[in-house]
Amino acid sequence: MYKINNLLNNENIKVTYEMGPVRILEHYRNMSMDNLADVPANYRYSQMNVRNRQALITLEDSSFMVSAGAMQWTLGDVKLSSNVKGVGDYFGKALSGMVTGEGAVKPVYTGTGLLMLEPTLKHLFPMRVEKWGGITLTDGAYMGCETSVSLTVKKNAGLRTGLAGEGFFNLCCSGSGVLLVESPVPYAHLMEVVLEDDELRVDGNMAVAWSSSLNYTTELAVNNNNPESKESKGFFGKMKDAVASGATGEGYVNAFRGTGKVLVALVE
């Protein structure tokens, strides 16, 4: 049996999101300064919404998987294991970690109690995977998920280049359950675009998450190739588009086609 005081009833801590076992806590003021010279800067940070945020996960005979090194503390009957099932599974996850930039081995916390993650100045919010029909994340956006969510790696179907701000591979989340996302911008600065057999083209890595049902490619911003013309599909046709893309200042873009949703940052 345990009891916690001065956490959820702390006037300096507010719960900004709550979904399933996940609550996002935001520390509104930094009251731990020991240098008066830091006061003006900290005041400006607070006015600019630069605050520490943490995820508090409640476990009720359940499990939650997080990024390596994300745990700050656990309370209650909570045990640590990993998502690795054997030697072959380890090498498969290691390869996935290399191509996505995510850690190969992810800690899994199981039991009944509380799990608190490390504070971050980035923004945290939960998402329901099943409501999106599966979610694909941009690099570095994964923070954790319920173990009912399956993680796989999906290759960018477009040009073999990282010039549009995205990598060759992305982490895909399928199944059902809560996914914890870490974003450089708050949810209030994320536009949700709903596509119905349509197309969205985004310059740079402004898309944070999107439905896995969408066809995602990295391609030239200018594409004047006529599919009826054999010449347009050849070397010179592609070079013409590459030159035109460079001349417009756009170069490469990330394209999303089909039916699904995309979370796009309104500001960088």
Side-chain angles (χ1 to χ4, degrees), residues 156 161 163-167 200-207 216-219 252-257:
N156 185 334
T161 175
L163 293 179
E166 288 288 353
L200 170 69
R201 308 180 99 201
V202 180
D203 182 20
N205 58 344
M206 302 293 282
Y216 163 63
T217 63
T218 300
E219 58 191 40
Y252 294 88
V253 296
N254 295 309
F256 304 87
R257 296 183 176 92

Side-chain angles (χ1 to χ4, degrees), residues 9 14 41 44 60 66 79 140 142 144 172 179 198 216 265:
N9 59 344
K14 296 188 179 180
R44 290 195 299 272
E60 297 178 344
V66 300
K79 294 179 173 56
Y142 175 85
C172 297
L179 169 68
D198 214 324
Y216 163 63

Side-chain angles (χ1 to χ4, degrees), residues 230-248:
K230 292 184 179 180
E231 180 183 356
S232 69
K233 293 183 179 180
F235 174 78
F236 290 106
K238 293 178 181 178
M239 283 298 296
K240 178 181 178 182
D241 285 350
V243 171
S245 294
T248 62

Side-chain angles (χ1 to χ4, degrees), residues 30-132:
N30 182 359
M31 298 186 291
S32 302
M33 291 178 294
D34 57 3
N35 187 347
L36 290 177
D38 296 334
V39 171
N42 276 280
Y43 175 77
R44 290 195 299 272
Y45 292 156
S46 66
Q47 297 302 303
M48 295 170 62
N49 199 30
V50 179
R51 301 184 176 102
N52 278 307
R53 299 170 179 90
Q54 293 181 273
L56 178 65
I57 294 98
T58 301
L59 298 174
E60 297 178 344
D61 194 20
S62 57
S63 299
F64 202 88
M65 181 167 59
V66 300
S67 294
M71 185 272 286
Q72 187 185 54
W73 53 262
T74 64
L75 179 62
D77 183 19
V78 179
K79 294 179 173 56
L80 169 64
S81 60
S82 75
N83 63 331
V84 176
K85 299 178 181 178
V87 176
D89 186 44
Y90 172 79
F91 284 110
K93 285 183 168 60
L95 179 60
S96 298
M98 290 174 61
V99 299
T100 62
E102 298 285 349
V105 180
K106 290 183 170 58
V108 177
Y109 294 89
T110 303
T112 298
L114 296 176
L115 164 64
M116 179 73 91
L117 302 190
E118 290 280 357
T120 176
L121 291 177
K122 291 186 177 181
H123 301 270
L124 302 172
F125 56 87
M127 301 177 68
R128 283 277 181 191
V129 174
E130 63 271 22
K131 288 188 175 181
W132 284 63

Side-chain angles (χ1 to χ4, degrees), residues 193-213:
V193 180
V194 181
L195 298 174
E196 293 185 10
D197 194 22
D198 214 324
E199 173 182 330
L200 170 69
R201 308 180 99 201
V202 180
D203 182 20
N205 58 344
M206 302 293 282
V208 174
W210 56 92
S211 299
S212 298
S213 57

